């Protein structure tokens, strides 16, 4: 990848059907240790690729069937187990394939608006996040040097029945018509320095997945295609000369 080009997925090389999209997201191979030493696969590990999480009108996250503008969405879960009096760290990584770049951009915009609409959100029956704030940057902005667009959200993670709040981070990148998102929920006992380090490692893990996607259909793929085209032209010249 050239230094002045983002990780991306060209629309022409992106999956075009639901079956292709499901095969694509299942074919990606994020490693647990991409998010830091000690992480492992959580159980359950994978979601249903025909569903994704939707923030409803009451600011509660629900699993819903994919809209017509999204071909597949797969979430994989990882955990850094509780150890030495420090709570577990949970990471969820979601890759979604949209029908086109417009749909992916719209998904990014909706995600940005959700933090404004619902700064306090219910994750499930016992967990919620509060005080969310978000920031979005296109690749042209100096703060984003990775993908076509990025979105970062931070807030506090609260478990019902326990005292105090814990750090919560959400990272979301767009690569052409593909979006890659990850959340981290950092358990009790990790100090601010450790929480910052963990969040940085999770962001790096998302970047690893972005790099894998780019290698399959982004700048590198286009560079390879250009090189192959030049090789074919040279070969044709040689064949023509031997006649």
């Amino acid at each position: 990848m050239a230094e002045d080009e983002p990780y991306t997925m060209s629309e022409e090389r992106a999956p075009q059907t639901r079956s292709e999209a499901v095969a694509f997201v299942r074919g990606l191979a994020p490693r647990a240790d991409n998010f830091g030493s000690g992480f492992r696969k959580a159980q359950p590990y994978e979601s249903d690729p025909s569903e994704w999480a939707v923030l409803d009108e009451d600011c509660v996250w629900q699993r819903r069937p994919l809209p017509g503008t999204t071909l597949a969405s797969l979430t994989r879960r990882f955990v850094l187990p509780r150890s030495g009096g420090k709570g577990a760290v949970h990471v969820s990584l979601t890759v979604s394939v949209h029908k086109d770049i417009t749909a992916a951009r719209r998904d990014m915009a909706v995600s940005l608006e959700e933090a404004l609409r619902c700064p306090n959100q219910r994750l499930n029956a016992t967990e919620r996040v509060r005080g969310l704030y978000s920031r979005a940057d296109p690749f042209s902005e100096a703060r984003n040097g990775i993908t076509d667009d990025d979105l970062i959200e931070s807030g506090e993670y609260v478990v019902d029945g326990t005292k105090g709040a814990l750090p919560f981070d959400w990272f979301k990148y767009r690569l052409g018509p593909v979006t890659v998102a990850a959340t981290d929920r950092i358990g009790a006992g990790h100090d601010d320095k450790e929480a910052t380090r963990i969040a940085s490692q999770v962001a790096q893990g998302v970047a690893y997945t972005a790099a894998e996607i780019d290698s399959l259909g982004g700048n590198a793929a286009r560079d390879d295609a250009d090189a192959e085209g030049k090789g074919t032209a040279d070969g044709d010249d040689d064949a023509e000369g031997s006649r």
Side-chain angles (χ1 to χ4, degrees):
M1 182 182 72
E3 292 184 359
D4 60 347
E5 293 182 334
Y7 288 136
T8 190
M9 164 66 77
S10 68
E11 206 165 56
E12 295 76 13
R13 291 179 175 268
Q16 303 298 311
T17 67
R18 289 193 182 276
S19 61
E20 289 176 355
V22 170
F24 175 81
V25 295
R26 287 198 186 283
L28 297 174
R31 294 162 48 108
D33 61 5
N34 283 353
F35 304 103
S37 176
F39 275 89
R40 66 191 188 194
K41 293 180 181 179
Q43 296 299 327
Y45 175 53
E46 289 186 345
S47 68
D48 182 343
S50 68
E51 298 179 344
W52 69 354
V54 174
L55 190 63
D56 68 17
E57 294 181 357
D58 297 321
C59 300
V60 178
W61 286 98
Q62 308 277 357
R63 297 292 299 179
R64 293 285 185 266
L66 293 176
T69 55
T70 303
L71 299 175
S73 183
L74 183 66
T75 297
R76 286 167 166 151
R77 301 175 182 87
F78 305 89
V79 61
L80 178 65
R82 178 189 300 271
S83 177
K86 297 178 181 180
V89 178
H90 296 273
V91 172
S92 296
L93 176 73
T94 301
V95 179
S96 301
V97 180
H98 304 271
K99 279 196 169 182
D100 51 34
I101 290 175
T102 299
R105 284 176 170 165
R106 186 175 296 114
D107 180 49
M108 294 291 288
V110 168
S111 296
L112 179 61
E113 292 167 357
E114 284 173 341
L116 301 175
R117 176 171 68 88
C118 295
N120 302 320
Q121 302 173 4
R122 172 66 66 175
L123 302 178
N124 53 46
T126 61
E127 299 172 324
R128 54 195 170 90
V129 292
R130 68 188 186 192
L132 283 176
Y133 65 92
S134 60
R135 187 190 79 201
D137 298 301
F139 179 74
S140 57
E141 298 292 336
R143 290 176 297 190
N144 174 22
I146 299 178
T147 58
D148 293 317
D149 295 306
D150 81 13
L151 172 64
I152 299 174
E153 289 189 2
S154 298
E156 294 180 328
Y157 164 58
V158 180
V159 179
D160 294 349
T162 63
K163 294 182 179 180
L166 306 167
F168 175 86
D169 301 285
W170 185 32
F171 308 92
K172 188 167 185 174
Y173 299 153
R174 181 182 67 81
L175 300 91
V178 179
T179 55
V180 183
T183 62
D184 65 53
R185 291 171 291 158
I186 301 174
H190 298 273
D191 60 28
D192 290 344
K193 184 177 181 180
E194 290 174 330
T196 299
R197 175 181 56 80
I198 291 169
S200 178
Q201 289 175 333
V202 172
Q204 184 63 54
V206 184
Y208 285 140
T209 298
E212 183 180 4
I213 292 170
D214 180 81
S215 71
L216 294 172
N219 297 306
R222 287 199 296 273
D223 292 343
D224 290 343
D226 291 341
E228 290 173 5
K230 291 177 182 178
T232 301
D234 291 341
D236 287 344
D237 288 342
D238 291 342
E240 185 69 30
S242 67
R243 285 185 181 178

